[in-house]
Amino acid sequence: PESSKKKTKYKRIISGSEAIREGLIEVAKKNKNVIFQAEGVSDPSFVYGTTKNLNKIFKKKRIIEMPLSENALIGAAIGASFFGKRPVVSIHRVEFALLALEQIINNAAKAHYISMGKHSVPIVIRLIVGRGWGQGPEHSQSLENLFALIPGLKVLTPTFPSDAKGMIISAVEDNNPVIFIEHRWCHYIKGEVPNKYYKSQINAPKKIIKGDDITIVANSITVIDCLFVSKILNKYGIGIDLFDLRVCRPLSLDEIKKSIKKTGKLMTIDLGSKILGIGSEIVSEVTSSCFNYLSHAPIRIGMPDYPTPSSRGYLKSHYPNKKKIIQELSNFFADIKKNYKSIMRELEKENKKLPIDIPDPSFKGPF
């Protein structure tokens, strides 16, 4: 999906995890104050491959193994940032960061404000989200809306490898605390990534494809579902103006509002909860400022209002997916209702026949 139609000298295709690793290495080589902290920064999984062999590239004092205390881990990173370091903290599950919320919310996010600008907290906290292998209610959550509530934090959710590399570099160079949320399945997405040092915007969404019929704002792995849906619906004359949200805070909606003035329709797809999710805020802002341009009530898709089940059988109706997107779009377009069975058959051809909680044949788990 990232391939450019423009002629380039070469195309280098790597995965999302490789792109993040490359970005971390390049920014750490450029700035000697970048340090890496984690519970298992050098363990066999290397945080999904993203920290592989960093201990062989950089001096030991820059690769810091931490005890199993997330509150201490984040506190130490905040303290180091006060003395000029730029810590990159990698946490294997977003849920583990819940043990450090006091440090993240009351210290990292507020230090610059309460010190009247004397202190900055240039730390990056990498949090891994995503479903898989029956991990159930305590290890399958996506909590970007929780962190996006907090003034002083930046919250990023890259989808494609090129953005993942550019955004991790931008995050490390930023003087604010950045929550960098990575969906595990996005680690396996492959795309063209420049073999150079570059930064990507971390203050706005990105339009992925152009269309005139409906505006869809998706996030992380749900963007991939939308690309499949768009490919099918194009055959029926339905064009999607698709935005990869990428940045949950600061939440910039100017380009999305422009799109709605063109299409008159809006769908949001949350990576996490539909109730009180990022999509709720987008719909609220759009209806407040673009109500007269809307021809239909906006539609939100997200995870339901109950904990994630462990059983594969129950999971089929739990997560946002291509089928749900098309079902909801049928409320907007008569042509989808008319051709629903044909569209569903075509969707089945596009889908890989994999268990619902395994992203890719190369996925070896449990991490």
Side-chain angles (χ1 to χ4, degrees):
E2 283 195 295
S3 296
S4 172
K5 292 181 180 179
K6 295 179 180 179
K7 290 184 178 180
T8 54
K9 191 175 181 180
Y10 61 89
K11 290 182 179 180
R12 193 176 65 112
I13 306 298
I14 62 175
S15 69
S17 62
E18 290 170 327
I20 290 170
R21 176 179 179 272
E22 189 171 275
L24 290 174
I25 291 170
E26 290 182 11
V27 75
K29 284 182 176 179
K30 185 177 180 182
N31 191 328
K32 293 182 179 180
N33 286 318
V34 176
I35 59 174
F36 299 96
Q37 295 176 246
E39 298 163 353
V41 70
S42 300
D43 74 6
S45 76
F46 296 107
V47 192
Y48 305 90
T50 59
T51 62
K52 185 176 181 179
N53 294 332
L54 293 189
N55 57 334
K56 296 179 181 179
I57 299 171
F58 301 106
K59 293 180 180 179
K60 287 184 178 180
K61 64 181 181 181
R62 298 180 68 184
I63 311 293
I64 304 170
E65 286 289 353
M66 296 297 291
L68 296 180
S69 175
E70 286 76 16
N71 206 45
L73 169 56
I74 300 300
I78 293 170
S81 73
F82 284 172
F83 290 92
K85 300 299 181 183
R86 291 184 174 269
V88 177
V89 180
S90 301
I91 297 181
H92 283 78
R93 294 283 192 282
V94 67
E95 289 84 3
F96 299 164
L98 300 180
L99 297 167
L101 284 185
E102 198 274 334
Q103 292 283 11
I104 296 170
I105 293 173
N106 274 343
N107 294 330
K110 295 178 175 62
H112 186 74
Y113 181 79
I114 64 175
S115 69
M116 298 182 68
K118 181 179 178 180
H119 294 300
S120 293
V121 184
I123 69 173
V124 176
I125 303 173
R126 299 177 54 219
L127 305 178
I128 313 300
V129 303
R131 58 191 185 265
W133 291 48
Q135 293 185 64
E138 293 186 352
H139 291 312
S140 298
Q141 298 173 93
S142 188
L143 301 175
E144 66 279 354
N145 53 331
L146 172 65
F147 295 99
L149 285 172
I150 309 303
L153 296 179
K154 293 186 176 182
V155 182
L156 313 182
T157 57
T159 303
F160 300 109
S162 60
D163 271 341
K165 177 180 176 179
M167 291 174 74
I168 195 69
I169 290 174
S170 295
V172 175
E173 287 196 358
D174 200 286
N175 287 326
N176 301 283
V178 178
I179 307 296
F180 198 86
I181 297 178
E182 303 164 27
H183 195 289
R184 291 185 302 149
W185 291 19
C186 289
H187 286 153
Y188 298 91
I189 294 173
K190 291 187 176 181
E192 185 179 350
V193 178
N195 188 17
K196 63 180 182 179
Y197 190 90
Y198 67 93
K199 296 194 290 184
S200 296
Q201 282 188 333
I202 55 172
N203 61 357
K206 183 178 184 179
K207 184 177 286 192
I208 303 300
I209 52 176
K210 295 180 181 179
D212 296 326
D213 298 306
I214 184 168
T215 302
I216 296 183
V217 184
N219 206 6
S220 189
I221 197 67
T222 64
V223 176
I224 305 302
D225 288 335
C226 290
L227 286 170
F228 277 106
V229 169
S230 175
K231 181 180 176 181
I232 293 171
L233 296 187
N234 276 340
K235 298 176 183 179
Y236 297 88
I238 298 170
I240 296 174
D241 225 25
L242 176 61
F243 288 88
D244 180 357
L245 185 61
R246 302 191 314 153
V247 184
C248 298
R249 188 177 187 105
L251 188 61
S252 173
L253 301 179
D254 291 345
E255 292 303 312
I256 292 168
K257 290 176 183 178
K258 288 180 185 177
S259 173
I260 288 164
K261 290 176 182 179
K262 174 181 65 174
T263 67
K265 304 178 188 72
L266 171 65
M267 172 184 281
T268 64
I269 306 174
D270 270 291
L271 186 60
S273 174
K274 172 183 173 182
I275 304 299
L276 300 176
I278 301 295
S280 300
E281 179 63 20
I282 294 172
V283 168
S284 175
E285 284 294 316
V286 166
T287 52
S288 295
S289 58
C290 300
F291 183 80
N292 292 335
Y293 293 95
L294 290 168
S295 60
H296 295 71
I299 290 177
R300 289 180 292 136
I301 295 177
M303 289 204 289
D305 196 25
Y306 55 80
T308 303
S310 297
S311 166
R312 281 177 175 170
Y314 289 121
L315 282 174
K316 289 180 181 178
S317 61
H318 188 76
Y319 291 104
N321 56 42
K322 305 173 188 73
K323 186 176 180 180
K324 282 185 181 180
I325 294 168
I326 289 175
Q327 286 174 338
E328 293 293 347
L329 286 175
S330 68
N331 295 314
F332 284 136
F333 300 103
D335 282 347
I336 296 179
K337 284 186 176 180
K338 181 180 176 182
N339 298 286
Y340 189 76
K341 289 184 179 179
S342 298
I343 292 171
M344 285 294 118
R345 283 195 297 269
E346 195 162 353
L347 181 61
E348 287 303 316
K349 292 178 183 177
E350 293 282 2
N351 275 330
K352 290 181 179 179
K353 293 183 179 180
L354 290 170
I356 192 169
D357 54 0
I358 297 177
D360 186 272
S362 64
F363 183 74
K364 301 301 181 185
F367 294 112

